[in-house]
Amino acid sequence: MRLMLSIVLVVLAAVAGQAKTNRLLRTTAELRSVLAETRRISVPFALSGVVEQPPLSRYAGFTLVDDSGAVCLYRGLRTARQTMQPGDRISVSGETAFYNKEQQHIYARCDKLDVLSRGTPPTVREVRCADLWSGAFDFRLVTVCGTVRNAFRDEIDPAFVILILSDDTAAIPVIIRTQASSAELDAYIGAEIRITCLCNPHSNGTRLHLGRFLGLHSLSDITLLHDVGHDAFDVPDLSVLQNKSTHEIITAGRHKVLGRVVTRWNGGQRLILETAAGTFVNVEVRTGRFPDVGQAIEASGIPETDLFRLSLAHASWRTATDDVPPPRKPQRLAVSEIFAATNGLSKIRADLHGSPLSVCGTIRNSFKPQAGEWRLLLEGDGQSIPVDVSACSGSQIPDIGATVRMTGVCVIDSDLQGLASSFPRIRDVFLVVNRPDDVTILAAAPYWTPTRLGAVIGALAAILLGILLWNISPRLHVRRKALELEREIANSIETELRFHERTRLATELHDSISQNLTGVALALDEVDEALEPGNETARARLDIAARTLKSC
C-alpha cells in the first residue's frame, strides 16, 4: 500500500513539474526567452498582437508585436495557406519545435492563426547601428543608413553574401540571399546605402555566435545614397582621422589620400603611399590595374588602422597631378638594427615602415610565400630578414650563399583593426626591392654550395656504385660457372665409379658361379660312377644334368 502511494506521489510530482516547465506562454517576451535561452521544445504559447512583417513566402517567418516586444513566428501545416497584411491584429497558438534537431535549432510553430481585424501598417523607425546592438529592436523592421565597409560571399553557405554596414556609431553585418558576382559585390564597397529590413537577434544557422544581424531578401532592396563609381573621390581627406580614436576610424566612411607609391607587393595589390606630410599610408587596391612604383596617385577607400598608422582598404585610385614628395635617400643599416634590442628582447622598429633601407648580408634561403612572389632570406649580424625580390627576373636573383647589398623599402605587414580583429598583430617584417638595380652582389656565392656539393657527392656515389657492381658482376658470373663445372665433374666421376663398381661386382659374381657349377658337375660324375649296374634310368638323368652344367 505504501509502495503504491509513493508511486502515485512521484507521478503526480512529475506531471506537476512538466506542467510547470511547459506552462502556456502569453507574451512575445516569454516566447523569445524560450527560443533564445532555454531552447526547449513542445512549449505551448497563445499570443495576440499586430503583424509587422508578413511572410514573404510559404515557408518564411513573420513578426508579431505586442506590448512586451516582438518575436518571429512560422506557420505550420494547418496555417500554411493563411494570409496576413502588415498592421493586421491576429491571435496565434502553437508550440516550439525542432527544425534542425542535430544542431538543436528550434522555432515557434503556429498551429492556429486567426485574423481579428485589419489595421494600418506600423511605422518603420530609422535607427543607428549602435541602437540595433541594444536589443530594443530585435525582430523589428528598421531603416538603417551607413557605409558598406566590405562585401563578400559566405564561405560556409555560398547561397548568401555578407555586407558589413557601418555608421559613426557601430557596424553590423547584413546577410542577403543572392547569386551576385564578386564584381557586383565590389561595387557596393564604400557606397553609402539605406536598407529597410528585419533585425535578427541571433543566427539559427551554422554561425551560432554571429549575434545580431540584418536580414535582407535581395540586393534590389538596397537604396544607393552615394554611388562609389561617381563619388569615390568626393570624400574627406584621410588626414582628418589622424588624431581620431580607433572606433572613429573603423566606423568612418570612405576617405581619400594623395601620395607617391613607395613600394608594392602581393602582386601589386598592396602598396605604401608617402604623403606630402611625410606620413606613410598602406593601401589595398581592388583587383585590376595597379599603379607603378614612384607614380603619384590619389586613392579612395575604407579607413582602417593597425593602431600605429592609417590604412585604406578596398581602394580605387587615379593618377594625380599634384606635387608629391621626392624619393627618400636610403638609410644604410645592419640587419640587426632593424630589430632593436631592449633589455635583451628584440623589438620591431615601427618607425622604419615605408623607409628605404640599404642592408648587407648573405643569402641563406629562398622561398615563395604565394604564387607570383619570390623572397630571399638575408642574414647579417646574427639576424635575418626576408627580402621580396619579385621585381627581379630569375637570372637577376642572386644565388644562395652570395653576399649582397640590397636596397628596398621596409614593410611591417600587420592585421588591421576592424570587426575581425580586436587587437591587431604584426604578421611579418620584410624588405621589398623595387628594381633589379637595387640588388648588388658583393661576393658571388661559392661554387661549392651545399646544393652543388650534395649533387657532386651524389653523382660520385652513383659512379662508385656502378663500378662496384660492374666489378662484382663478372666475378659472380665466373663463380657461378665454376660451381656449375664442379657439379658436372663430380657427376661424371660419380657415374664412372658406379660403372666400374658394377663391372667388378658382375665379374666376381660370374667367376664364383662358374666354380660352383663345375664343382656340382664333378660331383654328379662321381655319383654316376658310384651307381650300381642296372640303374640306367638314374644314370641317364645324371648324365643330362652333368651335360647341362658343363654347358653353362
Side-chain angles (χ1 to χ4, degrees), residues 12 19 23 87 111 130 159 214 226 254 258 287 298 317 327 340-341 354 367 384-385 387 435 442 457 461 483 534:
L12 290 175
R23 66 182 180 84
D111 298 322
L214 299 177
H226 295 287
R254 181 174 286 268
L258 173 68
T287 56
E298 187 176 27
W317 68 278
F367 59 96
S384 59
I385 185 171
V387 181
R435 301 172 302 170
L442 304 179
I457 292 175
L483 290 175

Side-chain angles (χ1 to χ4, degrees), residues 68-99:
S68 66
V71 72
C72 184
L73 305 173
Y74 290 85
R75 293 174 296 180
L77 293 177
R78 299 175 184 175
T79 58
R81 296 185 179 277
Q82 289 186 264
T83 60
M84 62 195 82
Q85 301 296 329
D88 289 354
R89 176 166 289 278
I90 65 172
S91 66
V92 295
S93 61
E95 64 179 14
T96 59
F98 281 123
Y99 76 85

Side-chain angles (χ1 to χ4, degrees), residues 293-308:
V293 174
Q295 186 176 356
I297 68 168
E298 187 176 27
S300 172
I302 305 298
E304 292 182 339
T305 180
D306 57 7
L307 302 186
F308 60 91

Side-chain angles (χ1 to χ4, degrees), residues 106-162:
I106 65 174
Y107 73 108
R109 185 189 66 222
C110 297
D111 298 322
K112 184 179 180 181
L113 189 155
D114 294 317
V115 178
L116 304 178
S117 63
R118 299 293 180 182
T120 57
T123 303
V124 179
R125 293 186 58 181
E126 185 166 343
V127 298
R128 312 297 297 275
C129 290
D131 299 331
L132 299 174
W133 290 105
S134 68
F137 299 95
D138 290 349
F139 294 119
R140 302 298 299 268
L141 276 176
V142 293
T143 297
V144 186
C145 297
T147 302
V148 179
R149 300 187 62 85
N150 202 352
F152 53 91
R153 186 163 298 282
D154 189 349
E155 302 90 345
I156 303 299
D157 191 348
F160 294 88
V161 299
I162 300 174

Side-chain angles (χ1 to χ4, degrees), residues 334-336 339 359-365 376-387 401-406 431:
V335 177
S336 58
F339 305 93
V359 296
C360 291
T362 303
I363 306 299
R364 293 303 183 194
N365 197 5
L376 304 176
L377 188 63
L378 185 67
E379 183 184 86
D381 302 324
Q383 291 275 7
S384 59
I385 185 171
V387 181
T403 301
V404 298
R405 174 175 292 280
M406 290 190 169
L431 299 180

